[in-house]
Amino acid sequence: MARAKPAGAGGGVVVSAEQQEIMRKLGGVLPLLSFGRLITAALVPLAAGLYLVTTTAWSVAEWAWLQHRKERAERAERESAGAGRSSP
């Protein structure tokens, strides 16, 4: 593997073929990194909206289920109290 020469050693920097290949690959990807902020700006509000919809739906469903159980318990209590009064 060739080593890079120091800048003051009389000549340019020697870059190995492996380093050139890596630099070529990075050169193709680096311009696309500027779109990372755009993608983040688009996805974060979507994630926040999905979170709000999910938690709201869960809360409504939980409230409805608990309300149903409460009404069923109250109905059973009334029926048992009514049955107790009718027997002498």
Side-chain angles (χ1 to χ4, degrees), residues 12-71:
V13 176
V14 177
V15 180
S16 70
E18 182 183 359
Q19 290 172 331
Q20 287 176 350
E21 180 65 23
I22 291 171
M23 288 171 46
R24 187 186 64 76
K25 287 180 181 178
L26 281 176
V29 174
L30 286 176
L32 299 176
L33 291 178
S34 63
F35 293 107
R37 183 175 288 174
L38 177 66
I39 293 169
T40 302
L43 293 180
V44 168
L46 290 175
L50 179 63
Y51 171 78
L52 288 174
V53 168
T54 303
T55 55
T56 301
W58 181 269
S59 296
V60 168
E62 184 180 31
W63 179 86
W65 182 69
L66 290 173
Q67 191 68 23
H68 171 73
R69 286 190 58 182
K70 179 182 173 187
E71 290 171 358

